[in-house]
Amino acid sequence: MKSEKKAVVVIGAGPAGLAAAVALKKLGVEDLVVLEREDAPGGILRQCIHDGFGLTRFGESLSGPEYAGRFVDEAAKLGVDFRTGASVIGLDAGRRVTVATREGLVTYEAEAVILAMGCRERTRGALAIPGSRPSGVYTAGVAQAYMNLHNRMVGRRAVILGSGDIGMIMARRLTLEGAAVEGVYEILPHASGLPRNVAQCLDDFGIPLRLSHTVVDLRGSSRLESVTVARVDENLIPIPGTGREIPCDTLILSVGLIPENELSLQAGVALHPRTRGPLVDEFFRTSVEGIFAAGNVLQVHDLVDFVSLEAENLARAVARHLAGSLPAGGGIEVRAGEGVGYVLPARVGGKEDFTLSLRARRPDRDVALRISHGERIIKTIKFRRVLPAEMLRVQVRAADLAPSAAGSESRRPEPLEVSLTC
Amino acid sequence: MLREFTCLVCPRGCVLEADPEKSGDGRVKGAACPKGLLYATQELDDPRRTFSTSVRVLAGESPLVPVRLTKPIPRAAIGEALALIHAITLTAPVQAGQVLLSDILGLGSEAIAVRSVEAGERTAESL
């Protein structure tokens, strides 16, 4: 088997991998390769033909292919080495990367590996919806790929289960292409996607959003003929007698995204129990030496602009790692307190400024985000409203940490805790 | 009646409260910047949107090309604009960014291709 040494191997040429590769080249890291299993770089952006990408980064509203195109063009100018049609099938703790390519198996031995595999969709199997197994049941991203990459209409009369962003975007897409969308049914008492998508994808087209509802049955032999929806109680259990059958030929599932970490697990990378992405520090270091992670493989983002930003921050850390100038791993644990679903990084050294990413556990109004270090509150930010759909990003200055943190090499440093309370 | 909506100008997503009955100052609350005020006023009086769809391509590696509007148009004009765009048939090659329809309905927005379609046989992916 061919084996090649590389300073950096990037796994995945989606928004995170692209931004990391471009940034590394600009930082003078020449010896890098980006591995992509699809035939072209761009990742999920390739099938996102709606606009709204790049508002923060470029100050204009681009479609997914255009947003990806900006990075692909820049990467081409910088001479980034992309290997497409190259599927990574093995990764170990010694940073040996095994890749299936059209020319056969290839192995890289990397000084640093960047995990940028993104996420995948939760499926019907993961939800255990009873009923028959007809065709016409798709996850939202698969329906989006059929329509936007493969030019295939998925159905004529659709019901959407789950109010994730891709599901709502597909509700609009299907409506514009002449299909009837009967409604979006969300098991939780609040929408799981962004308010902007509720407004511009559902409300604008008169598509009802039914909260506290779920699909309890499917009917149909070869093709889906109907689904039954029912109201759920506060424990998310369907309430008997509330079922209603809706004729339809298509059911679209938009019920969550899961970071894709099979390779990370192979290498022994420890995962976060809530994000299900790697546990990282403020330099995007995972639990395995020399393996870094950013983008949706780390945490599912709301906006791609922040994926690019995160990957660029990772690139700076990787460049320092290669130069041997990254500080040793930090011992300050970062905890999610009341009202916080999760917070990343999971631990910090606290010697340099860093950014915390977090999500609210539930929708709330007039809340204060507090970061405490030991007994001291080091930062308070007020929000008029928080939503689990939106990722919050907070800068923390190392100088604001309690003085004991920096000098306490001997005893265990006190944890940082982030809370969202009234 | 007070209307509450999320400002779509930037990802900050301010919660705006607006009173459609009122006019002038105090009509909109909650905007962190003047753009938000403008947005809310626009949203009340004349909501505007963009959209994306697909257009037929002859002799291309893909039978369709995705298309988007470059500027938002009045929400009420979406149906008419969509019909105009759906009536287009292109012949490959199509360049990303190529203007397929300019000044749609006199509203100052263009329909552009969001990716390129080369001339040639259909690829496995495009089928």
Side-chain angles (χ1 to χ4, degrees):
Chain A
M1 203 191 312
K2 281 200 296 183
S3 186
E4 202 180 324
K5 288 205 180 341
K6 279 279 164 200
V8 182
V9 170
V10 182
I11 306 177
L18 283 169
V22 166
L24 280 167
K25 274 277 182 185
K26 286 183 176 168
L27 290 162
V29 177
E30 289 296 326
D31 186 27
L32 79 101
V33 63
V34 185
L35 305 172
E36 169 57 50
R37 65 186 170 194
E38 299 285 328
D39 285 330
I44 203 66
L45 289 169
R46 297 175 64 226
Q47 66 185 58
C48 297
I49 66 165
H50 55 283
D51 68 357
F53 302 95
L55 279 167
T56 306
R57 186 177 189 92
F58 300 117
E60 54 183 312
S61 184
L62 302 171
S63 66
E66 292 166 282
Y67 185 94
R70 301 252 171 134
F71 287 87
V72 172
D73 290 349
E74 205 172 1
K77 258 184 242 157
L78 294 164
V80 172
D81 182 15
F82 286 107
R83 303 282 161 88
T84 55
S87 193
V88 177
I89 57 170
L91 174 67
D92 68 22
R95 298 182 301 283
R96 258 180 301 277
V97 185
T98 310
V99 196
T101 73
R102 294 200 175 84
E103 292 75 44
L105 282 182
V106 176
T107 307
Y108 293 102
E109 285 169 51
E111 274 180 74
V113 170
I114 295 175
L115 306 175
M117 293 92 78
C119 58
R120 62 157 170 257
E121 297 181 283
R122 193 167 280 147
T123 62
R124 181 188 174 195
L127 292 172
I129 304 170
S132 55
R133 295 294 186 261
S135 70
V137 182
Y138 311 92
T139 57
V142 166
Q144 189 179 46
Y146 272 124
M147 289 185 72
N148 298 350
L149 288 177
H150 307 290
N151 306 301
R152 285 278 181 272
M153 190 66 179
V154 293
R156 287 285 149 204
R157 195 168 181 186
V159 165
I160 297 179
L161 174 62
S163 55
D165 288 309
I166 314 167
M168 294 197 279
I169 284 160
M170 287 313 292
R172 173 176 63 183
R173 174 83 165 126
L174 282 161
T175 304
L176 289 174
E177 302 314 321
V181 178
E182 300 294 331
V184 175
Y185 294 85
E186 169 59 55
I187 195 166
L188 296 175
H190 55 84
S192 56
L194 296 168
R196 60 186 300 148
N197 287 328
V198 176
Q200 65 191 8
C201 297
L202 304 184
D203 295 351
D204 277 3
F205 297 96
I207 298 168
L209 171 59
R210 304 271 184 242
L211 301 173
S212 299
H213 276 76
T214 192
V215 169
V216 293
D217 198 16
L218 308 187
R219 289 187 56 187
S221 48
S222 63
R223 179 80 190 194
L224 183 67
E225 287 161 19
S226 71
V227 301
T228 302
V229 296
R231 183 176 281 281
V232 299
D233 63 19
E234 61 271 24
N235 300 315
L236 311 183
I237 307 296
I239 303 170
T242 62
R244 187 164 66 87
E245 190 173 349
I246 304 172
C248 59
D249 61 15
T250 303
L251 174 66
I252 288 180
L253 308 175
S254 185
V255 290
L257 300 169
I258 307 168
E260 188 167 335
N261 277 291
E262 277 64 27
L263 290 171
S264 324
L265 288 170
Q266 265 190 42
V269 168
L271 299 189
H272 191 294
R274 281 203 70 98
T275 62
R276 298 169 72 175
L279 282 162
V280 294
D281 68 1
E282 73 266 50
F283 301 108
F284 303 94
R285 286 183 287 206
T286 68
S287 61
V288 176
E289 169 77 20
I291 300 186
F292 297 72
N296 280 357
V297 78
L298 178 61
Q299 55 178 336
V300 176
H301 288 63
D302 51 351
L303 297 173
V304 72
D305 302 54
F306 295 132
V307 169
S308 306
L309 198 66
E310 188 172 274
E312 285 160 348
N313 289 335
L314 165 144
R316 275 187 283 280
V318 170
R320 288 174 65 187
H321 169 76
L322 296 173
S325 64
L326 213 50
I332 304 175
E333 187 194 345
V334 185
R335 288 182 187 163
E338 197 184 332
V340 175
Y342 75 84
V343 58
L344 281 180
R347 62 197 144 78
V348 295
K351 298 202 171 47
E352 296 179 21
D353 299 351
F354 56 92
T355 303
L356 293 177
S357 306
L358 60 133
R359 283 187 191 250
R361 191 177 281 279
R362 66 191 84 84
D364 213 342
R365 288 171 172 279
D366 297 313
V367 291
L369 181 145
R370 287 191 188 83
I371 304 174
S372 56
H373 190 208
E375 301 293 296
R376 253 166 25 105
I377 292 173
I378 60 168
K379 191 156 189 163
T380 305
I381 306 172
K382 294 208 161 85
F383 289 94
R384 286 201 54 209
R385 180 214 57 179
V386 289
L387 291 173
E390 294 174 345
M391 205 170 96
L392 303 174
R393 296 165 52 83
V394 189
Q395 315 291 328
V396 180
R397 296 191 314 156
D400 290 341
L401 296 185
S404 67
S408 64
E409 307 299 342
S410 54
R411 71 189 176 89
R412 192 186 162 86
E414 291 185 295
L416 272 185
E417 187 172 291
V418 187
S419 66
L420 275 167
T421 50
C422 293
Chain B
M1 202 186 75
L2 274 182
R3 238 188 88 187
E4 189 182 290
F5 45 84
T6 308
C7 182
L8 305 185
V9 174
C10 83
R12 183 186 168 108
C14 289
V15 187
L16 307 178
E17 275 171 18
D19 189 343
E21 314 294 311
K22 277 194 193 165
S23 59
D25 290 353
R27 192 186 184 198
V28 178
K29 286 179 192 158
C33 77
K35 279 186 185 170
L37 274 178
L38 270 177
Y39 169 79
T41 311
Q42 180 91 52
E43 189 65 16
L44 288 174
D45 300 336
D46 174 24
R48 289 182 173 239
R49 297 287 186 266
T50 58
F51 64 84
S52 295
T53 185
S54 304
V55 164
R56 267 181 297 275
V57 180
L58 301 176
E61 56 178 8
S62 166
L64 296 173
V65 65
V67 169
R68 72 170 172 96
L69 297 191
T70 53
K71 274 193 199 139
I73 60 170
R75 196 164 62 190
I78 289 177
E80 216 179 323
L82 186 66
L84 283 177
I85 294 170
H86 279 171
I88 300 172
T89 301
L90 301 164
T91 302
V94 180
Q95 294 307 314
Q98 186 177 326
V99 177
L100 310 181
L101 200 56
S102 54
D103 197 21
I104 299 165
L105 300 167
L107 295 166
S109 183
E110 296 174 335
I112 62 164
V114 308
R115 75 172 163 243
S116 301
V117 176
E118 305 299 328
E121 296 291 305
R122 288 182 186 181
T123 63
E125 183 176 80
S126 77
L127 298 172

